[in-house]
Amino acid sequence: MKFTKLGLYRALLMCAGFMISAFGSALYVYSGLGADAFNLMVQGVSGVLGLAIGTTSSLIQFIFLALLIFVSRPLIGIGTFGGTVLIGMVMNLCEIFLQPQLAHAGLLMRVLCVMLAPIIVGTGVAMVNLASMGMAPNDILSVWLFTRQKKLPYRAVRIIYDVVQLAIGLALGGVVGIGTVLSAVLTSSAIQAASGVLEKLTPQQMQNVSLK
């Protein structure tokens, strides 16, 4: 069996992207100043179940993945499975090593962390998108919901999707704050900016040579 260097590069890019976005998500959660919609829901469910944040994230992603296997299998890629596992693992590691540091950090440091979070998450998502090996189940589910109707543009469907997750998280005790606002306002722009940079840096590395 022949594996191409392009395929290896894409796989490494995908893994790095998921890990980087997970680190950004951990900055939201462990700063205590508000998380993005999905991680706000994860935070709330985690408190109810008594599980670690990363474990809860993987559990929810696995549930979404199981649903997608039945309703929209073509949208699932290798990255869908990779994201389900990697994001939770990195967030659990951050709970061990990062959370104690942020718990004793001053307000200024924690604000700085949530300001950096959308940039880090956006960079990670852009790397995953560029790898083109599949998105995490949470993101695919919003795409599937969009395809099930014809009246609303994807952006409107995604906003509704995020608001529902935010409401669930808030009802279960998740923390809403400046991080939640920054995520909603800055993440899309960060993804677009990072995508532009990455596409300029990687074209030559993503073609031709095969690894035999």
Side-chain angles (χ1 to χ4, degrees):
M1 184 176 181
K2 183 170 72 174
F3 296 93
T4 65
K5 284 187 176 179
L6 172 59
L8 177 61
Y9 179 83
R10 289 171 59 200
L12 292 174
L13 188 68
M14 175 199 73
C15 291
F18 280 129
M19 294 170 73
I20 289 170
S21 63
F23 177 70
S25 296
L27 288 179
Y28 279 127
V29 173
Y30 300 128
S31 71
L33 296 176
D36 60 283
F38 176 72
N39 284 299
L40 186 71
M41 181 175 69
V42 168
Q43 192 178 35
V45 174
S46 171
V48 172
L49 298 180
L51 298 175
I53 293 287
T55 303
T56 305
S57 176
S58 290
L59 176 62
I60 294 174
Q61 296 278 25
F62 270 119
I63 292 171
F64 288 174
L65 175 58
L67 174 63
L68 288 166
I69 288 174
F70 286 103
V71 301
S72 190
R73 193 171 298 178
L75 292 176
I76 297 173
I78 295 174
T80 311
F81 295 92
T84 298
V85 175
L86 283 174
I87 293 172
M89 287 177 58
V90 171
M91 291 192 74
N92 276 344
L93 286 173
C94 288
E95 184 169 359
I96 296 171
F97 297 106
L98 178 64
Q99 193 272 340
Q101 305 302 318
L102 289 179
H104 295 92
L107 179 61
L108 182 60
M109 177 60 70
R110 290 187 290 126
V111 169
L112 178 60
C113 285
V114 294
M115 290 177 67
L116 289 173
I119 299 172
I120 295 172
V121 170
T123 300
V125 172
M127 293 169 71
V128 172
N129 290 344
L130 184 60
S132 299
M133 299 184 76
M135 300 181 292
N138 178 56
D139 295 313
I140 295 179
L141 187 57
S142 66
V143 175
W144 176 75
L145 290 170
F146 166 68
T147 65
R148 302 303 295 174
Q149 55 82 51
K150 299 185 182 297
K151 294 183 179 180
L152 298 175
Y154 174 72
R155 183 173 178 81
V157 172
R158 183 68 198 221
I159 289 173
I160 295 170
Y161 182 75
D162 287 345
V163 168
V164 170
Q165 291 187 337
L166 190 150
I168 293 171
L170 185 59
L172 295 178
V175 178
V176 174
I178 185 175
T180 311
V181 176
L182 290 173
S183 171
V185 173
L186 297 179
T187 302
S188 293
S189 297
I191 293 171
Q192 291 177 3
S195 295
V197 173
L198 287 169
E199 286 169 4
K200 291 178 181 178
L201 292 176
T202 57
Q204 295 303 316
Q205 301 177 47
M206 295 187 68
Q207 28 184 323
N208 295 329
V209 193
S210 62
L211 184 63
K212 299 182 179 180

